[in-house]
Amino acid sequence: MLLTPDYIFKSIECISPDFLREKGITALVLDVDNTLTGDFSQTLEPSVQKWLDTMRGAGISLTIVSNNTAERVRPFAEKVGLDFVPLAAKPLPPGLMVARRRLGVPRRRMAMVGDQIFTDRLAAGLYGIPCLYTMPRGGDHQKGVQFKRKFEPFWIARYYQKGGRLYE
Ligand SMILES: [Mg+2]
């Protein structure tokens, strides 16, 4: 049960304060590439800025954990005013451990938000927190990611077979 998504959102903007309140989640660990923006993009879409403002307004703590380099993540993290962990090696747990310390919450209050089953979903599962899986915002540039994508539909189909719904 480490790979089937817990929840699937059409995009990060579809995660609402009400949903988080209902689940007792007060802190989110955010992926960057294809979650907050496009793969390797520095563009901050107005809808994402609005979502970040909504989350802050609702008292949700936020931080970034990315497998990408500091060079790629820092400009975007600065733009949105968030701390970040680069080169996190998700699905391994150290990035989430650092994030939890920064967020200052117990694990049961945290969730991982990301677009990849074999990094974000698996990292959350191994660390024992839910993953709010978001559908990728666009294409992938890295060969390794493109390869892993081929195996995602199986796990996404399982979510729907088990009665999961798309939050949009
Ligand atoms: Mg990603």
Side-chain angles (χ1 to χ4, degrees):
M1 297 308 102
L2 293 175
L3 291 169
T4 309
D6 305 285
Y7 309 100
I8 300 184
F9 292 85
K10 192 168 181 192
S11 70
I12 197 166
E13 295 100 313
C14 299
I15 299 171
S16 69
D18 281 349
F19 175 91
L20 300 178
R21 203 173 301 122
E22 199 179 290
K23 309 291 179 200
I25 296 166
T26 61
L28 295 176
V29 180
L30 309 174
D31 173 54
V32 177
D33 289 291
N34 261 333
T35 297
L36 279 168
T37 186
D39 196 24
F40 282 87
S41 170
Q42 297 294 341
T43 304
L44 174 57
E45 289 173 36
S47 58
V48 173
Q49 177 67 67
K50 191 172 160 226
W51 179 82
L52 290 165
D53 293 342
T54 301
M55 287 295 131
R56 288 183 172 117
I60 304 297
S61 308
L62 307 167
T63 197
I64 285 172
V65 173
S66 171
N67 280 359
N68 218 323
T69 60
E71 194 182 19
R72 181 271 179 272
V73 179
R74 181 176 291 114
F76 190 83
E78 283 176 353
K79 201 181 284 191
V80 294
L82 293 176
D83 277 338
F84 65 98
V85 180
L87 299 175
K90 292 174 286 185
L92 301 178
L96 288 178
M97 291 161 72
V98 173
R100 194 192 69 76
R101 243 173 284 135
R102 274 187 191 164
L103 293 165
V105 293
R107 267 196 287 194
R108 68 177 187 282
R109 298 282 174 225
M110 284 171 73
M112 173 80 220
V113 180
D115 69 292
Q116 282 193 59
I117 298 286
F118 297 97
T119 56
D120 305 303
R121 169 63 187 101
L122 184 54
L126 292 173
Y127 192 58
I129 62 174
C131 178
L132 314 184
Y133 177 81
T134 57
M135 289 164 64
R137 300 186 82 84
D140 306 291
H141 295 96
Q142 288 169 298
K143 286 246 160 23
V145 177
Q146 290 169 357
F147 178 75
K148 285 186 282 184
R149 281 281 181 227
K150 296 189 207 306
F151 302 94
E152 291 190 340
F154 175 82
W155 298 101
I156 290 167
R158 269 183 75 119
Y159 170 78
Y160 291 114
Q161 281 156 13
K162 289 168 68 179
R165 72 170 179 96
L166 177 65
Y167 291 81
E168 51 189 338

